Amino acid sequence: MSNALLEVRALNAWYGESHVLHGVDLDIREGETVTLLGRNGAGKTTTLRAIMGILRRREGAIRLRGRDLLALPLHRVAQTGLGYVPEERGIFASLSVEENLALPPKVADGGMSIEEIYHLFPNLYERRHSQGTKLSGGEQQMLAIARILRTGASLILLDEPTEGLAPVIVQRIGDVLVALKERGMTILLVEQNFRFARKVADRFYLMEDGRMVNSFPGNELDSHMDELHSVLGV
Amino acid sequence: MSTIFGIPAPALYGQILIGLINGSFYALLSLGLAVIFGLLRVINFAHGAQYMLGAFAAYGLLSYAGIDYWPSLVLAPLIVGAVAMAIERTMLSRLYGLDPLYGLLLTFGLALIFEGAFRYWFGTSGKPYSPPAQLTGAVNLGFMFLPIYRGWVVIASLVICLGTWLLIEKTRLGSYLRAATENATLVQAFGVNVPRLLTLTYGLGAALAALAGVLAAPIYQVSPLMGSNLIIIVFAVVVVGGMGSILGAIITGYVLGVLEGLTKVFYAEASSIVIFVVMAIVLLVRPAGLFGREA
Ligand SMILES: Nc1ncnc2c1ncn2[C@@H]1O[C@H](COP(=O)(O)OP(=O)(O)OP(=O)(O)O)[C@@H](O)[C@H]1O
Ligand SMILES: [Mg+2]
């Protein structure tokens, strides 16, 4: 696919000596929401960490708009327009909510202003002077997403944003993702909850043991249920 | 003559002043150590040598270039900060990710090299360095005579400590610093040049030590061993305040300085150990330090 925003080819990655990704291929087009499904330990987080450059021992190719990311030092990767929302959320205890929000440097024009973000997440506004880690799990997840929206990143890597959250919060995060999609944001979403992901996903990738085992459009989810159940072990 | 607890008031005030002055240096030095340790996880044993280098930079600027105290107050920290940043780039940065012991050993070795070299060039006897003309003399406060230079040191160190605290707590650079202290990888993944932040932080810590060295030059004389005499006490201050706690380093520095001064008045024999006694008690009761976060 030549018109891909992000292109991953034959990506291998290692934690020290342990070989975790085995030849991963992945394409994301501009404006698309792609969801990566796979059971615990399949290598979803590792894929995101390898794309961001947090995991350094990699082979293969990762290109954003044709530009090779593999050669860049970690802090240069975000500057190409990538935003990362880690699985563990990464809210800083020594920073207030507002400082957490303002922390990631802008990487491009067109990001949301703090006012727009507070409009989208009113509870962050109410708690803007609190210590970041004093927020509830759901609020911390909102904050982790919100702070990337400020940066103008064109591709957001979202690692299991609904993990461990109450249904109403999951619903809220779903609404936010729909809103971002409407703004033309490109999203790579890691999820185990495919019922949640089907609301936003244009395409699914299925991952097992560090390999991509299948990929299909969002509207074909129902015809892949058997495979899904076996791969996800649900 | 008035007395307080049987002690003549002027003697008491005099020792409190000396304690405040010593405390100013404890605070400045432990502040730099705390900033460095917080982000780099390096126990900077070269801190005393960097303080000494600051004093010698001022001495050298005056003797060889005729540059006096006021410009030196800026130039000496810049020189020592630049040297420190070169050390961080070429040596310390190779040790990140290893056991903190390696950083400690490297900086300890560097301290020995700097002190040895300066002892070779200048001998161990102190070099006098006069305070600037504007700050000579004393004022009568009514209850005591205050040498103006000493008053200046206390005020200058308070301003520097407050400024550093504001830099860390209230600025964008400071928020990078605090965040990187918690999770450097994530901050770098957001696009912050963390390696450069580490270099700047080490430079800032060393520059603070050098600034303390310039402030100290007119009081204590300039000598190659001036730093190693002080640094052990400063490490005790950092432990009492809590490793890496900025506010803890500042407050503990002044408090322990004054406590040491008061001990001199009431029980002089204990004055050289009182800080270490406090350290031992704090380690037993609250190992993370008075202002440290419990692990
Ligand atoms: N820091 C690490 N060091 C060594 N191995 C790791 C590390 N992190 C993950 N792994 C291993 O890599 C494999 C993939 O892990 P990864 O975290 O990518 O899975 P995941 O798909 O994100 O799972 P989950 O749904 O539980 O988050 C697993 O076998 C895991 O044990
Ligand atoms: Mg994961």
Side-chain angles (χ1 to χ4, degrees), chain A residues 37-204:
Chain A
L37 298 170
R39 75 172 72 178
N40 293 117
K44 307 181 296 292
T45 297
T46 307
T47 304
L48 299 192
R49 291 167 64 92
I51 293 171
M52 277 315 290
I54 293 169
L55 188 57
R56 299 304 295 181
R57 192 160 170 222
R58 301 160 295 169
E59 275 173 16
I62 304 171
R63 283 186 288 269
L64 189 77
R65 295 196 179 85
R67 181 171 179 195
D68 176 28
L69 298 188
L70 229 55
L72 298 179
L74 177 55
H75 57 272
R76 307 276 307 184
V77 175
Q79 292 162 10
T80 67
L82 279 183
Y84 180 50
V85 182
E87 188 170 17
E88 67 282 1
R89 294 167 190 145
I91 301 305
F92 296 97
S94 53
L95 272 58
S96 69
V97 168
E98 190 145 282
E99 286 175 319
N100 268 285
L101 201 51
L103 183 80
K106 287 209 164 73
V107 297
D109 293 333
M112 288 188 192
S113 66
I114 297 263
E115 291 71 36
E116 283 178 280
I117 288 173
Y118 282 148
H119 188 72
L120 194 59
F121 302 98
N123 22 356
L124 293 186
Y125 176 74
E126 277 158 34
R127 310 218 42 199
R128 64 194 181 280
H129 299 304
S130 312
Q131 189 187 341
T133 46
K134 291 270 163 69
L135 297 184
S136 72
E139 288 170 326
Q140 288 191 35
Q141 186 62 62
M142 307 268 183
L143 180 55
I145 298 173
R147 70 179 166 192
I148 293 306
L149 303 182
R150 234 193 89 256
T151 65
S154 41
L155 170 57
I156 299 188
L157 311 183
L158 259 177
D159 200 344
E160 301 206 38
T162 65
E163 196 180 6
L165 300 182
V168 300
I169 313 277
V170 172
Q171 174 73 40
R172 274 281 288 133
I173 290 177
D175 295 344
V176 168
L177 291 192
V178 169
L180 296 182
K181 220 170 125 77
E182 279 162 6
R183 284 178 74 108
M185 201 79 88
T186 311
I187 301 170
L188 174 53
L189 172 70
V190 163
E191 261 305 332
Q192 303 208 44
N193 179 350
F194 59 83
R195 285 177 197 86
F196 167 79
R198 72 182 308 159
K199 284 191 289 194
V200 288
D202 299 307
R203 226 140 41 78
F204 285 99

Side-chain angles (χ1 to χ4, degrees), chain B residues 245-260:
Chain B
S245 163
I246 306 293
L247 206 57
I250 297 172
I251 295 173
T252 313
Y254 287 107
V255 169
L256 288 187
V258 171
L259 182 69
E260 192 184 39

